[in-house]
Amino acid sequence: MKSYRDRFHIPKRREGTDVIYFAGNSLGLQPKTARAYVEEELEDWAKHGVEGHFNARNPWMPYHRLLTAQTARLVGAEESEVVVMNSLTVNLHLLMVSFYRPTADRYKILIEAGAFPSDRYAVASQLRFHNLDPQIALVEAADILAAIEQEGPSIALVLVGGVNYATGEYFDLEAITRAAHQQGTIAGFDLAHAAGNVPLHLHDWNVDFAAWCSYKYLNGGPGAIAGAFIHERHHRSTLPRFEGWWGHDESTRFQMGPKFEAMQGAEAWQL
Ligand SMILES: Cc1ncc(COP(=O)(O)O)c(C=O)c1O
């Protein structure tokens, strides 16, 4: 692994020595290649203007496809199950729109105790969006499996950070997914601190959905685009979805018709 160190810019201490960088859970180091890649895009924009959508060295129109294969490999997914889009919190909201479907009996969302605050805000606001009181419907537990066992029939969604941002605890995502499914509950994960950090097999583990950012262990830079996973068994379901033109079938997208015809797979969730 040692040679990989040379591929990154490492900030210096005042006296000129390299810092020892442990902040990969917040912002990854800048890869030395990043500047050249950014300059390439600026040059192509200057040279081609709007035609860069098709004629740039990395055409912008299908920009997300540049990352599909690596992204699928990274999280253990089929290529049709992943898409890079938006930011993490946006993706969590979009996925909860589809996967959090409360009923009178099954309406709670289970998160890990000490979840990233923004995830808590997102979940609480989804509950309120459905006219539910987070005081009642938001369950926070240190032992996720025990909570699923105890409250299973009333839980609509288990949404856990794959690796907790503060403690570094790596949850057993396969066991959580299995336990959730046994109770008829959806299992989704925030993989901000897991993607690029630990081996993931989302497809084989039968995870329903996941989202992650790419500026931490993936060294994508501040504001870098996020990822989303939707298991293939949901691709042809009738899940509701917030839709936009980038989720429309690309072969007819630019006919600009009034009716939405979805892309196949996770790309249907693009806006
Ligand atoms: C676990 C976790 N979830 C969500 C977020 C929010 O990510 P974003 O601001 O990219 O939506 C972060 C950011 O650090 C995070 O660590």
Side-chain angles (χ1 to χ4, degrees), residues 25 87-90 92 116 118-119 165 190 192-193 213 215-216:
N25 68 329
S87 66
L88 167 54
T89 308
V90 172
L92 287 174
F116 192 74
S118 180
D119 287 16
Y165 82 103
D190 174 345
H193 301 265
C213 56
Y215 50 80
K216 296 184 169 99

Side-chain angles (χ1 to χ4, degrees), residues 245-258:
W245 74 327
W246 234 248
H248 189 284
D249 179 1
E250 64 188 339
S251 67
T252 52
R253 183 182 297 150
F254 285 92
Q255 291 174 9
M256 305 294 205

Side-chain angles (χ1 to χ4, degrees), residues 119-168:
D119 287 16
R120 205 177 178 286
Y121 308 150
V123 166
S125 66
Q126 287 276 337
L127 291 167
R128 289 194 300 271
F129 178 72
H130 287 279
N131 297 319
L132 290 161
D133 180 354
Q135 300 265 29
I136 299 163
L138 177 58
V139 181
E140 296 174 83
D143 188 336
I144 301 292
L145 291 174
I148 293 172
E149 179 78 33
Q150 269 163 26
E151 306 214 38
S154 64
I155 300 174
L157 170 65
V158 177
L159 182 60
V160 172
V163 172
N164 181 271
Y165 82 103
T167 63

Side-chain angles (χ1 to χ4, degrees), residues 49-65:
V50 69
E51 298 294 344
H53 284 309
F54 308 99
N55 298 339
R57 280 165 282 185
N58 306 301
W60 306 319
M61 251 272 293
Y63 74 94
H64 56 289
R65 298 252 168 78

Side-chain angles (χ1 to χ4, degrees), residues 162-223:
V163 172
N164 181 271
Y165 82 103
T167 63
E169 179 176 359
Y170 177 22
F171 290 94
D172 186 339
L173 308 191
E174 186 177 19
I176 291 173
T177 303
R178 199 183 313 116
H181 288 174
Q182 274 164 7
Q183 297 279 352
T185 297
I186 292 279
F189 296 101
D190 174 345
L191 301 178
H193 301 265
N197 185 20
V198 293
L200 296 165
H201 303 282
L202 301 185
H203 177 88
D204 290 347
W205 294 341
N206 243 339
V207 167
D208 292 289
F209 72 89
W212 57 93
C213 56
S214 57
Y215 50 80
K216 296 184 169 99
Y217 296 96
L218 299 177
N219 303 85

